[in-house]
Amino acid sequence: MQAIIDKIEGYKAEVKNFVATKADEVENFRIQFLGTKGLVKTIMGEMKNVANEDKKAMGQILNEFKIFVEQKFDDLKNTIGSNDTAEANNIDWSLPGTNFNVGTRHPLSLVRNKMVSIFNRLGFVVAEGPEVEDDWHNFGAMNLPENHPARDMQDTFYINQNPSWLLRTHTSSVQARIMETQKPPIRVICPGRVYRNETISARAHCFFHQIEGLYIDENVSFADLKQTLYFFVQEFFGKDVKVRFRPSYFPFTEPSAEMDISCQICDSKGCNVCKHSGWVEILGSGMVHPKVLENFGIDSNKYTGFAFGMGIERICQLKYRVNDLRLYSQNDVRFLKQFTGVV
Ligand code: 2U9
């Protein structure tokens, strides 16, 4: 016991004479004496070697030692607090601060926000839905026949644990859920990520982003569809943009049409993007198929509607000349930095 008391006296002198002028020296004191492997802990461990009849007295001595060290630590902290000035540390507070790198919005977010705000002005409201869907909302309700190639494992990601779930291949499933729960008039815009089982390359990816729109009411006509989409491209690309509609086919719309705009890259003079035609396809559209309306109990004799869908990456490519789809998801700041200042 006496040996331990002598040791403690030695440590006490050491603690008492400890001098610190900087914050890191106080931290060193804390680690050396009060840390998990510090002296106080170590000396406490000596208790097991003390005879039973001395344990009480020894416990008191050790406790006093601990309080002594803690008190010294508090004193050191307080003195340093007043000494640890700019002058003492040789700091010139008038120097300019460190610049923080301010991030930018992702180009796809910039484009999506701009697209949404244009459609908002026409009375379309944003609707969102799950990315993991069931067969009915993604395919069945959309009038896609049982044997349609889009349903194939080669094209669609199915969830292993439950093959009746899949990753949505378009955002049409969101409109389907809206039709399930709301009555016309319906005027929604559905931005979101969609998945397709594609090999990744500059021109294809296993996920991309879409914006789809749906407008159902009495007397909605193909003229409304054309004017809505014309208004959109004029607001997005500028008043000089030209449009043309080409007949097309989708199982969920009838009649259907694809819309081209005059090439924004070469001003229709001819380039690789427009394949020297002066026109680029930007979206698909059509009047909602009566079968799709009836699938949701909407009377197709009373109500009509139009729908459209476009890829946000495609619109972004034409606006900002992004020529490789992989750039959107590689997180390369050299790419992302180029959108600083775009609002
Ligand atoms: C409902 C009814 C109809 C949405 C539509 C398209 C045409 C279309 C493609 C454009 C490029 C997808 O991103 S893309 O590959 N989309 O061509 N989408 S009509 O029609 C609907 C949606 C929901 C209830």
Side-chain angles (χ1 to χ4, degrees):
M1 175 156 164
Q2 192 51 50
I4 302 176
I5 294 173
D6 292 345
K7 250 194 215 172
I8 290 176
E9 285 310 313
Y11 292 151
K12 266 189 173 172
E14 208 178 313
V15 169
K16 196 173 166 201
N17 297 330
F18 193 96
V19 187
T21 53
K22 290 198 181 102
D24 56 349
E25 289 165 355
V26 179
E27 178 58 7
N28 284 344
F29 176 89
R30 189 193 64 76
I31 296 167
Q32 189 185 339
F33 290 97
L34 295 166
T36 39
K37 289 184 183 154
L39 258 166
V40 172
K41 276 264 158 63
T42 316
I43 201 91
M44 292 280 191
E46 298 272 357
M47 267 298 263
K48 60 179 181 299
N49 305 324
V50 176
N52 276 349
E53 62 272 26
D54 295 333
K55 273 205 192 317
K56 193 174 170 205
M58 194 64 212
Q60 205 172 340
I61 292 169
L62 286 172
N63 222 18
E64 279 167 12
F65 176 60
K66 186 169 172 246
I67 292 167
F68 177 77
V69 178
E70 284 170 347
Q71 183 59 54
K72 173 75 180 188
F73 178 54
D74 284 344
D75 292 347
L76 286 172
K77 271 196 300 189
N78 293 338
T79 350
I80 285 299
S82 50
N83 283 348
D84 199 18
T85 57
E87 215 172 45
N89 288 301
N90 209 15
I91 296 171
D92 179 356
W93 294 112
S94 68
L95 286 172
T98 316
N99 281 337
F100 291 104
N101 289 326
V102 179
T104 60
R105 282 216 190 285
H106 192 280
L108 292 176
S109 300
L110 292 166
V111 169
R112 182 202 51 216
N113 292 351
K114 186 162 180 188
M115 292 169 83
V116 165
S117 81
I118 296 170
F119 283 109
N120 280 163
R121 283 157 57 202
L122 293 172
F124 287 84
V125 291
V126 168
E128 289 181 334
E131 293 186 6
V132 178
E133 262 300 357
D134 54 56
D135 185 276
W136 169 250
H137 290 98
N138 196 78
F139 295 128
M142 299 302 295
N143 205 27
L144 267 103
E146 215 50 65
N147 58 348
H148 195 278
R151 289 183 130 151
D152 204 284
M153 298 269 278
Q154 252 78 55
D155 290 313
T156 299
F157 291 113
Y158 287 88
I159 307 292
N160 271 348
Q161 288 88 332
N162 186 344
S164 55
W165 289 343
L166 48 87
L167 295 183
R168 69 181 181 196
T169 59
H170 45 194
T171 54
S172 307
S173 52
V174 182
Q175 287 105 291
R177 286 177 179 278
I178 293 290
M179 288 165 81
E180 216 167 45
T181 52
Q182 294 178 24
K183 290 193 182 338
I186 290 172
R187 203 169 352 173
V188 286
I189 192 94
C190 306
R193 185 174 291 169
V194 301
Y195 301 83
R196 294 189 188 171
N197 194 358
E198 301 259 7
T199 308
I200 297 171
S201 71
R203 296 156 71 86
H205 211 292
C206 58
F207 65 80
F208 64 101
H209 300 79
Q210 280 189 336
I211 286 199
E212 289 198 346
L214 176 70
Y215 179 24
I216 304 173
D217 202 350
E218 292 181 42
N219 301 318
V220 175
S221 72
F222 201 88
D224 297 319
L225 178 158
K226 285 177 77 174
Q227 191 53 40
T228 301
L229 296 176
Y230 187 40
F231 176 82
F232 164 71
V233 289
Q234 282 206 323
E235 290 300 300
F236 193 91
F237 290 108
K239 295 284 178 216
D240 292 337
V241 69
K242 293 184 186 58
V243 297
R244 73 176 186 188
F245 284 84
R246 285 176 291 99
S248 186
Y249 170 78
F250 306 109
F252 30 87
T253 48
E254 182 60 35
S256 306
E258 280 165 321
M259 191 176 95
D260 297 341
I261 59 168
S262 45
C263 184
Q264 302 297 296
I265 304 287
C266 64
D267 203 14
S268 295
K269 290 186 178 66
C271 67
N272 283 345
V273 173
C274 66
K275 299 195 190 83
H276 300 277
S277 71
W279 294 98
V280 285
E281 180 193 321
I282 64 157
L283 58 84
S285 63
M287 301 305 292
V288 179
H289 197 294
K291 184 91 194 335
V292 176
L293 294 174
E294 299 294 344
N295 277 343
F296 296 98
I298 297 173
D299 183 352
S300 61
N301 291 313
K302 185 173 177 195
Y303 293 105
T304 49
F306 69 75
F308 55 89
M310 56 190 132
I312 302 180
E313 280 81 350
R314 175 83 170 141
I315 305 296
C316 196
Q317 176 196 23
L318 297 174
K319 180 85 177 168
Y320 297 118
R321 304 179 180 212
V322 180
N323 57 10
D324 189 326
L325 277 175
R326 291 167 294 195
L327 286 166
Y328 292 119
S329 49
Q330 278 167 339
N331 243 353
D332 187 332
V333 285
R334 291 169 302 177
F335 170 68
L336 299 170
K337 253 169 43 181
Q338 294 176 53
F339 298 89
T340 313
V342 183
V343 256

